[in-house]
Amino acid sequence: MFVDGLRCRECGRAYPAEALHVCEYCFGPLEVAYDYEAIAAATSRESIAAGPLSIWRYADLLPAHNDGAVDLGAGFTPLVRADRLAAELGLGELWIKNDTTNPTGSFKDRVVAVALARARELGFKVAACASTGNLANSVAAHAARAGMRHIVFVPADLEAGKIVMTSVYGPHLVAVDGSYDDVNRLCAELTSEHPTWAFVNVNLRTYYAEGSKTLAFETAEQLGWQAPDHVVVPVGSGSQLTKIAKGFEELRKVGLVEGGPAVRISGAQAMGCSPVAAAFTGHHDYVRPVKPATIAKSIAIGNPADGWYALDAVRSSGGALAAVSDEELVQGIKLLARTEGIFAETAGGVTIATLAKLAAEGVVRPDERVVAYVTGHGLKTIEAVAPAVAPPVTISPSLESFDEALGADFEEQP
Ligand SMILES: [Zn+2]
């Protein structure tokens, strides 16, 4: 492992690589620091290619070892060339990073695998999290695999699929009557009360967040070790976007990808919870918290922990942030399914609808190589799209009945 320790993002103070997440001097967030010279000397495209087909092929750039105990095979998801979608949006080279194929159907498997591997190294026996759903699914599955006790906190109004996809692994599932921001606050208090619990996105957050860098690593490797020109990323807490930015930077730093213009990074939010997009369009230097009201529950975080850093990453890369309505995100889900055969959850619909909006505005351009991150499976949020799809045609089991109901109509279509 090439970890030098932890460092405060604000004041730069150094800390040991323990379960710490906040600077005790300035309350800034802590970040993992690496010895990039040593990584550059030890790591090559060939050594990575010889690694497992999972996030662990990039272990040299991650803050934990994989001893197999937690591993469900997170990562190395398909990067799909999306020509039919590109044609509809008036774009040129467009790719979808299809993270719906992860073990529990979302990108959260990347961050949880790293957080719980590190938690075990630090001696934790209990896994915990505050979740909008996908994280709950992933923590429960990975903890079950590792034989760790687990306790998971979610807002009580979560989609049914995400509740069952958590309960099936047998955790203590606690539904909190409040928003995700309420759940998160409660879990911050519980972390102080129960220092022996590894809350993956509270006291283990520094390690957890690093897992998202693998979304950048894989994209570059799958493009033949080239960075894309422009990526579009959904924004909830803002952590994923900032870590994708960090991932592309690190690849250049250790010489795996050649220099060139920085990757433009754009962010996608739902209008019913768009504090970061609002700060971008309002030219503010702060992110004002909001009360979420959107069906895109997995990114409905009104007070995003990394909101300011996401805003900064977007601005400094020359990208943009935009928000779409619930109706638009449902159309985004249907558009991606219809053109590329990928069924995304609501956050994926937000990403595709925002991509469409930014393409129409000329922010995402046809001369760019573009990657859109689709981070969760549609089966998790089936109630969002169910009212917007055509019901089946019901017939009796005879040719006559089929011809009468549908036959000629089907033939006529191209
Ligand atoms: Zn500090």
Side-chain angles (χ1 to χ4, degrees), residues 79-82 93-97 222-223 369-372:
L79 183 71
V80 180
R81 178 80 186 240
E93 186 178 340
L94 173 64
W95 300 80
I96 302 294
K97 183 62 172 161
Q222 289 167 321
L223 290 173
R369 175 187 273 177
V370 180
V371 175

Side-chain angles (χ1 to χ4, degrees), residues 162-250:
K162 287 181 180 165
I163 297 280
V164 176
M165 268 194 74
T166 307
S167 311
V168 72
Y169 301 107
H172 293 282
L173 177 58
V174 182
V176 179
D177 193 12
S179 70
Y180 172 76
D181 298 288
D182 297 324
V183 177
N184 204 26
R185 242 187 337 267
L186 171 64
C187 286
E189 290 171 26
L190 282 165
T191 306
S192 324
E193 292 287 308
H194 300 278
T196 60
W197 295 1
F199 271 95
V200 297
N201 54 344
V202 186
N203 52 341
L204 271 294
R205 187 176 183 85
T206 312
Y207 306 98
Y208 158 95
E210 291 288 294
S212 285
K213 294 189 309 188
T214 58
L215 282 164
F217 300 159
E218 287 175 20
T219 298
E221 186 182 356
Q222 289 167 321
L223 290 173
W225 291 109
Q226 290 185 324
D229 298 316
H230 200 153
V231 298
V232 180
V233 184
V235 175
S237 76
S239 169
Q240 183 190 47
L241 186 148
T242 59
K243 293 301 175 177
I244 287 175
K246 185 183 181 190
F248 285 123
E249 271 171 38
E250 285 185 344

Side-chain angles (χ1 to χ4, degrees), residues 8 10-11 23 26 28:
C8 174
E10 291 300 325
C11 74
C23 175
C26 76

Side-chain angles (χ1 to χ4, degrees), residues 274-335:
S274 54
V276 190
F280 179 82
T281 45
H283 304 286
H284 299 143
D285 279 331
Y286 53 88
V287 174
R288 183 183 295 150
V290 300
K291 199 171 183 305
T294 170
I295 58 170
K297 294 179 200 282
S298 62
I299 52 171
I301 299 178
N303 188 11
D306 291 285
W308 191 88
Y309 295 108
L311 181 63
D312 188 46
V314 166
R315 277 183 181 150
S316 62
S317 75
L321 275 143
V324 294
S325 69
D326 285 0
E327 291 75 17
E328 288 172 312
L329 82 83
V330 170
Q331 291 310 312
I333 292 172
K334 291 176 69 178
L335 176 62

Side-chain angles (χ1 to χ4, degrees), residues 248-412:
F248 285 123
E249 271 171 38
E250 285 185 344
L251 291 178
R252 290 194 168 137
K253 220 176 268 184
V254 302
L256 287 165
V257 164
E258 278 164 32
V263 179
R264 295 177 74 200
I265 301 180
S266 288
Q269 294 210 289
M271 272 177 195
C273 185
S274 54
V276 190
F280 179 82
T281 45
H283 304 286
H284 299 143
D285 279 331
Y286 53 88
V287 174
R288 183 183 295 150
V290 300
K291 199 171 183 305
T294 170
I295 58 170
K297 294 179 200 282
S298 62
I299 52 171
I301 299 178
N303 188 11
D306 291 285
W308 191 88
Y309 295 108
L311 181 63
D312 188 46
V314 166
R315 277 183 181 150
S316 62
S317 75
L321 275 143
V324 294
S325 69
D326 285 0
E327 291 75 17
E328 288 172 312
L329 82 83
V330 170
Q331 291 310 312
I333 292 172
K334 291 176 69 178
L335 176 62
L336 179 65
R338 177 167 63 74
T339 54
E340 300 297 339
I342 296 169
F343 184 19
E345 68 146 6
T346 45
V350 168
T351 301
I352 298 302
T354 300
L355 170 66
K357 188 169 275 191
L358 293 176
E361 289 170 358
V363 175
V364 177
R365 301 191 312 259
D367 63 331
E368 291 180 308
R369 175 187 273 177
V370 180
V371 175
Y373 287 91
V374 170
T375 52
H377 201 288
L379 287 174
K380 288 165 172 274
T381 59
I382 206 129
E383 49 276 85
V385 76
V389 295
V393 177
T394 305
I395 62 169
S396 53
S398 72
L399 281 175
E400 292 75 19
S401 178
F402 171 72
D403 284 340
E404 196 177 307
L406 192 99
D409 191 36
F410 191 79
E411 291 297 329
E412 277 163 23

